Amino acid sequence: MSAAQVWSVDPRTGKRREQVAVEATAADVDSAVRAAHAARGALADRTVRAAFLRTAADRLDAAKDRLIAAADAETALGATRLTGELARTCYQLRAFADLVDEGAFLDVIIDHPDDTATPPVPDLRRYKVPLGVVAVYSASNFPFAFSVPGGDTASALAAGCPVVVKAHPDHPATSEVAAEVLRGAAAEHSLPEAVVGLVHGFEAGVELVRHPLIAAAGFTGSVRGGRALFDAAAARPVPIPFHGELGSLNPVVVTEAAAAERAEQIGTGLAGSMTLGVGQFCVKPGLVLAPAGPAGDHFVKSLADAVSGVGEGVLLDHRMRDNFVAGVTERAALPEVEAPIAPGAGDEHTVRAGFLTVPAARLAAEGPHDLLLEECFGPVTVVARYEDGDEVTSVLSRLPGNLTATVHLSSEETEGAGDGSAILAELTPLAGRVLVNGWPTGVAVAPAQHHGGPYPATTSTSTSVGGTAIERWLRPVTYQSTPEALLPPELRDDNPLGLPRRVDGRREG
């Protein structure tokens, strides 16, 4: 039997564009993983790794027109959005190159012998080493930044780990072009092309996480798909770390004072955030707690005015479009749910943005309205109208983990008046990033960034964005009473690599 064909599909029409690959068999996956495993030693030199990452960014820049044309044809995200995303991806690669050059991520700690300590301390030298081959599962909604050349790949390569990427079926042609660019960058530095492997197909993804030479995995996608792979990673004879981003509601609380102060500004801002990228951002605000009084009415009207001006959009594929239409229809049919601007189907290929409202009391206890507390992928949000702070607390107490949580406060509340601090204290356990008077869409690539959160937002406490994302692919090892001549250069007393480190409790470098 011949392997299943992998087709590039135009989401604007639902029609096939071209065949770009065939689905990988178990033997294909095994070959890719073994080749990547054999290439591990080639990534050992930090100088070469950093140069490779910078060359990868340069080559992606040079291939910009080809990459953006391929991605737009497969995702309908538009050249403007994709240009920005590719620039972010290149910046991320260069940022990891700088991190590799600096070397602080190795977390070198040296304790010299101390016989006076209780108990005595022998000579101990600790740093971090790469785990091995990393499986990367591409995301549908970010064909660059969370796919073949994205953050999981960049951080794994920076750590010294080869990758085998499972391409997303929504952008297989883009994946092939991106992989080709990265392999070209590897070859320029005499690295094996196998440091970046690529496979297609659902079964290939399952085979990948089960392969005994895969040492860790990174995933961005649905709760259902991510949890299945997470369970498979844990069920292996030798379980492996699985860093999955699965789903997030990203709640927002609008205080009554904030609504009274700037209802129009908040409503307009929410409309822009919830419809950005046709509502296909993982940090889209999907639940908004707003007051039930006149100030809240003003906010809802402002939101309706802004959303009504948003044109129909194309989702990443027709399966997502059908799920969105079915999801908003089911939610709108619940008792006391209203649709000031009804979300749903546009023409046979598009969707309409909209939002639903519901009394917050309906969400404060278990019942059919729990559906409103689940993520609905696409341009829709739920506005829950609360009567008092107790209802806000009750709803927040029922939410699962999230990537983000946001509160909009009045100017007086930001200066310490009112319940602003109390709301922040309620939001902090719910999310990995807590925002005040902003919107969660837009995840800056910065050292202090954290893109993760309590389950089901992510399956670990790590971040997939920012420099500390590299920590996912490293493990610490300590050498005890090891002769200097046998130590790795990173741990020698003369510090030949000039690394920042902590020696006998004091920071050096």
Side-chain angles (χ1 to χ4, degrees):
M1 180 183 295
S2 61
Q5 297 174 338
V6 175
W7 287 83
S8 173
V9 177
D10 184 348
R12 294 180 174 96
T13 64
K15 295 181 179 179
R16 289 177 170 180
R17 299 177 57 249
E18 59 176 332
Q19 182 194 341
V20 297
V22 295
E23 293 188 357
T25 64
D28 294 331
V29 172
D30 180 64
S31 177
V33 174
R34 290 188 181 279
H37 184 74
R40 289 172 303 148
L43 290 173
D45 188 317
R46 286 191 302 117
T47 302
V48 172
R49 289 209 306 271
F52 166 39
L53 292 170
R54 291 192 179 97
T55 299
D58 292 343
R59 282 177 168 251
L60 287 168
D61 273 338
K64 177 177 65 175
D65 292 346
R66 184 182 174 200
L67 284 162
I68 289 172
D72 182 52
E74 293 186 309
T75 67
L77 289 173
T80 300
R81 148 70 195 275
L82 291 168
T83 298
E85 185 186 331
L86 184 59
R88 166 209 172 102
T89 302
C90 294
Y91 174 84
Q92 189 164 240
L93 285 160
R94 294 183 177 110
F96 276 114
D98 292 342
L99 193 78
V100 172
D101 278 339
E102 179 195 38
F105 73 96
L106 294 170
D107 197 20
V108 176
I109 304 174
I110 296 175
D111 288 323
H112 290 107
D114 184 357
D115 293 336
T116 67
T118 305
V121 175
D123 188 273
L124 299 172
R125 297 163 188 251
R126 179 187 191 272
Y127 78 145
K128 292 178 179 177
V129 297
L131 289 176
V133 183
V134 172
V136 173
Y137 293 83
S138 294
S140 62
N141 54 342
F142 283 89
F144 302 131
F146 285 84
S147 294
V148 174
D152 286 349
T153 295
S155 58
L157 292 172
C161 297
V163 300
V164 178
V165 183
K166 190 273 181 186
H168 197 280
D170 279 351
H171 35 79
T174 307
S175 299
E176 287 286 342
V177 176
E180 175 189 321
V181 171
L182 295 184
R183 289 168 180 159
E188 187 171 326
H189 295 280
S190 299
L191 293 170
E193 291 186 354
V195 295
V196 180
L198 181 68
V199 296
H200 297 265
F202 175 83
E203 291 300 328
V206 176
E207 291 289 338
L208 195 56
V209 80
R210 292 174 176 167
H211 197 286
L213 295 181
I214 289 293
F219 172 91
T220 303
S222 68
V223 173
R224 180 180 178 184
R227 183 54 193 257
L229 291 171
F230 175 62
D231 290 345
R236 291 167 38 128
V238 178
I240 59 171
F242 184 89
H243 302 286
E245 179 191 323
L246 310 189
S248 186
L249 195 61
N250 305 302
V252 177
V253 176
V254 180
T255 68
E256 186 166 7
E261 181 179 86
R262 57 182 201 286
E264 186 170 345
Q265 178 185 343
I266 297 172
T268 301
L270 173 59
S273 185
M274 60 163 279
T275 62
L276 186 65
V278 202
Q280 297 173 111
F281 278 54
C282 50
V283 288
K284 179 203 74 177
L287 175 70
V288 182
L289 287 154
D297 292 342
H298 189 186
F299 158 74
V300 171
K301 182 181 184 304
S302 174
L303 175 62
D305 290 344
V307 172
S308 65
V310 175
E312 295 177 3
V314 177
L315 296 185
L316 292 162
D317 62 40
H318 280 59
R319 176 185 58 82
M320 291 183 188
R321 176 193 174 276
D322 294 344
N323 287 342
F324 173 78
V325 172
V328 295
T329 300
E330 186 178 4
R331 287 163 171 79
L334 292 168
E336 294 190 76
V337 171
E338 298 180 359
I341 301 293
D347 62 25
E348 61 180 323
H349 305 299
T350 63
V351 297
R352 298 190 318 272
F355 67 98
L356 308 173
T357 63
V358 65
R362 282 287 194 173
L363 305 179
E366 185 176 349
H369 289 75
D370 285 359
L371 181 62
L372 300 176
L373 303 181
E374 297 178 11
E375 180 183 14
C376 186
F377 195 72
V380 64
T381 196
V382 174
V383 178
R385 307 291 300 274
Y386 63 86
E387 298 289 344
D388 53 38
D390 289 342
E391 285 191 352
V392 173
T393 297
S394 295
V395 175
L396 292 178
S397 70
R398 302 196 63 241
L399 297 186
N402 291 269
L403 294 170
T404 71
T406 301
V407 60
H408 281 267
L409 304 171
S410 69
S411 55
E412 287 190 359
E413 288 172 324
T414 60
E415 296 173 359
D419 297 327
S421 295
I423 295 173
L424 279 176
E426 289 185 86
L427 294 179
T428 298
L430 294 177
R433 180 162 57 106
V434 179
L435 298 88
V436 177
N437 292 351
W439 298 106
T441 39
V443 183
V445 179
Q449 185 59 273
H450 187 82
H451 189 64
Y455 185 86
T458 51
T459 60
S460 70
T461 58
S462 302
T463 179
S464 61
V465 178
T468 54
I470 196 174
E471 296 173 1
R472 297 174 296 169
W473 321 120
L474 300 163
R475 69 173 181 87
V477 61
T478 293
Y479 290 87
Q480 179 172 330
S481 303
T482 304
E484 179 89 359
L486 302 181
L487 285 169
E490 292 87 351
L491 298 180
R492 294 175 185 167
D493 279 333
D494 61 353
N495 195 12
L497 303 180
L499 295 170
R501 56 189 193 169
R502 184 177 293 277
V503 179
D504 296 331
R506 295 183 178 181
R507 177 66 65 183
E508 295 183 354

